[in-house]
Amino acid sequence: MSKQIFDITVRDVLKDPILKLIERLVGKKIVRSLDISLPSIKERKVDILLEAEDRSLIHIELQSTNHKYMHYRMLEYRLEITRKFKTNNIIQFVIYLGEKKCTMKSEISEKDLIYRYNLIDIKQIPCQDIIKEDDIDSIVLGFLCNLKNKEKLLEKLKIKLSTLDDVKRADWIRGILLILGLRPKLKKEFQRLIDREEIKMPITIRIRRDLIEDLPVIGDLLREAEREAIEKGVEKGLKKGLKKGLKEGLQKGMQKGIKEGLQKGLQEGLQKGLQEGIVKAKQEDIIKVLEAKFGKLSKTVNSKIKKINDLNKLEALLLEAVKSESLEEFKTKL
């Protein structure tokens, strides 16, 4: 899976409960979120930047993996934030969400340079107070925290998801599966609930491309691929239609025959061209998703996908491309 997609999803889903956690840690009420873009030779964006009621700025980075030079990166962020907002009243946090032991450094102590930021391992924090607020995003954060009764939390999540409409429930399930990639055992338990239909994921939603079209990066790739494929299909259909229409019209030898032939040929050609365009778009959707997650595909896999013309089969494979945790797992469905 693309790390950019994963990190953005984690940030979007967990932002609100993280803010509540930070308010408790710093003892300050957050009043607003600030622009996260930072001026630089290469534009940078922090994960979360907030303003507290006392005008102090709170900078938060969410890390799913250990970063060897995180202490230097955080110092760079601090300098950029100071430059942009003209203040040194800044509190910085890195919240580590990964399952492995946190090994990042939280300070720099060198000649003429002393710097530190706050490093928090989410696994060491009891999040019971936040989870009591009963929001789905707070419950999802609870899976990453130090909680003893994960089974009870899964049951709570199942009940909350059952209250949502089909589209929202499917959207949440997709986001939860991504985040629980940080906790593989819990992800398997959650997946089993879906497979046993204890958490219902509607079939009408399950095979639709809108499950993934709003994903950062992948969504743009899908839309662009489908647009290009349909345009090519329409162009191909027009050419076929004109050719067929002219042929039928000339055979009749009359203006009426030409008119009727053109109309029929254009209609059939456009219909066939659009159909071919949609099929090609679905094929490209699958390839784009797989390449965004696992890198360049082999010619063999690429060829197999492009030989499938059944739309229902392609829609099912599109979902498998999103759900699969490895290319090998997807190949078993191909």
Side-chain angles (χ1 to χ4, degrees):
M1 177 183 299
S2 165
K3 185 177 184 301
Q4 181 183 13
I5 296 169
F6 182 82
D7 288 347
I8 291 173
T9 303
V10 168
R11 185 184 66 213
D12 291 346
V13 173
L14 298 184
K15 182 177 180 180
D16 287 342
I18 288 290
L19 300 195
K20 296 165 190 172
L21 176 62
I22 291 298
E23 283 187 334
R24 287 183 171 83
L25 292 174
V26 301
K28 299 179 180 183
K29 183 173 179 58
I30 304 301
V31 293
R32 62 173 174 147
S33 292
L34 302 176
D35 181 7
I36 61 177
S37 299
L38 299 177
S40 179
I41 295 175
K42 179 180 179 181
E43 185 187 36
R44 283 191 170 184
K45 288 186 178 182
V46 300
D47 283 344
I48 302 173
L49 188 59
L50 311 164
E51 183 180 10
E53 55 188 346
D54 64 353
R55 304 297 299 277
S56 61
L57 303 186
I58 301 175
H59 164 218
I60 305 165
E61 291 296 311
L62 303 177
Q63 277 294 118
S64 57
T65 57
N66 285 295
H67 192 296
K68 185 177 180 179
Y69 299 110
M70 196 68 202
H71 46 316
Y72 291 116
R73 180 195 284 184
M74 291 298 286
L75 176 57
E76 289 179 0
Y77 282 145
R78 184 182 181 97
L79 294 174
E80 296 291 355
I81 293 170
T82 298
R83 184 178 293 118
K84 178 172 181 175
F85 294 96
K86 308 295 189 295
T87 180
N88 60 4
N89 190 6
I90 303 167
I91 305 171
Q92 291 181 289
F93 291 89
V94 168
I95 300 180
Y96 176 63
L97 306 171
E99 190 166 39
K100 294 181 179 179
K101 181 180 178 181
C102 181
T103 60
M104 290 180 286
K105 295 180 180 179
S106 61
E107 61 182 38
I108 302 172
S109 182
E110 301 173 355
K111 185 179 179 180
D112 298 328
L113 175 60
I114 297 176
Y115 163 78
R116 72 177 301 277
Y117 66 89
N118 299 284
L119 177 59
I120 297 172
D121 187 341
I122 199 74
K123 297 189 299 297
Q124 306 302 320
I125 297 179
C127 296
Q128 283 85 346
D129 291 343
I130 294 175
I131 298 168
K132 286 178 182 176
E133 299 186 21
D134 221 25
D135 298 322
I136 293 181
D137 51 4
S138 297
I139 294 174
V140 175
L141 178 64
F143 288 121
L144 307 180
C145 292
N146 180 16
L147 278 181
K148 294 180 180 179
N149 196 341
K150 297 290 199 306
E151 293 75 17
K152 185 176 181 181
L153 200 59
L154 273 170
E155 186 63 27
K156 197 172 190 178
L157 178 61
K158 182 172 73 172
I159 293 171
K160 292 296 292 184
L161 287 172
S162 69
T163 65
L164 303 178
D165 63 52
D166 288 351
V167 175
K168 286 183 179 179
R169 186 163 68 255
D171 187 55
W172 267 109
I173 289 172
R174 183 258 305 167
I176 292 168
L177 284 169
L178 282 173
I179 290 170
L180 287 185
L182 294 167
R183 301 291 183 269
K185 291 181 180 179
L186 278 171
K187 181 177 180 179
K188 288 181 181 178
E189 286 188 48
F190 184 72
Q191 186 66 59
R192 280 196 291 269
L193 293 179
I194 296 173
D195 294 340
R196 295 199 302 261
E197 295 195 348
E198 291 183 40
I199 296 177
K200 292 189 179 297
M201 189 172 183
I203 294 176
T204 53
I205 300 299
R206 195 178 297 176
I207 61 175
R208 280 168 44 186
R209 72 186 299 274
D210 61 7
L211 254 177
I212 54 174
E213 66 180 356
D214 60 339
L215 282 175
V217 182
I218 286 183
D220 293 339
L221 291 173
L222 295 184
R223 283 184 286 273
E224 181 64 19
E226 188 166 82
R227 182 187 64 77
E228 291 180 1
I230 289 178
E231 284 180 357
K232 289 178 182 177
V234 171
E235 183 180 356
K236 187 176 180 181
L238 281 171
K239 289 179 179 179
K240 286 184 177 180
L242 284 168
K243 184 177 180 181
K244 184 175 182 179
L246 283 170
K247 183 178 180 180
E248 291 184 3
L250 287 170
Q251 284 176 347
K252 291 183 179 179
M254 298 177 64
Q255 187 176 2
K256 182 179 179 181
I258 295 174
K259 183 178 179 180
E260 289 178 353
L262 278 170
Q263 184 177 5
K264 183 179 179 183
L266 281 170
Q267 184 177 357
E268 292 179 359
L270 276 172
Q271 185 176 357
K272 185 175 181 181
L274 282 170
Q275 180 74 8
E276 290 177 355
I278 293 171
V279 167
K280 183 173 176 59
K282 292 294 181 184
Q283 294 168 348
E284 292 298 325
D285 285 354
I286 295 168
I287 292 170
K288 294 290 185 182
V289 171
L290 292 173
E291 290 187 340
K293 292 174 69 177
F294 309 122
K296 188 72 174 177
L297 298 181
S298 67
K299 290 183 179 180
T300 302
V301 175
N302 202 303
S303 176
K304 283 185 178 180
I305 294 171
K306 289 186 175 181
K307 286 180 180 179
I308 300 171
N309 296 313
D310 183 87
L311 272 176
N312 290 330
K313 173 68 173 175
L314 289 169
E315 287 173 342
L317 283 175
L318 182 57
L319 179 64
E320 293 297 337
V322 176
K323 289 171 55 181
S324 295
E325 296 183 3
S326 68
L327 186 57
E328 293 304 315
E329 181 182 346
F330 174 79
K331 286 179 182 178
T332 64
K333 310 293 182 181
L334 191 57

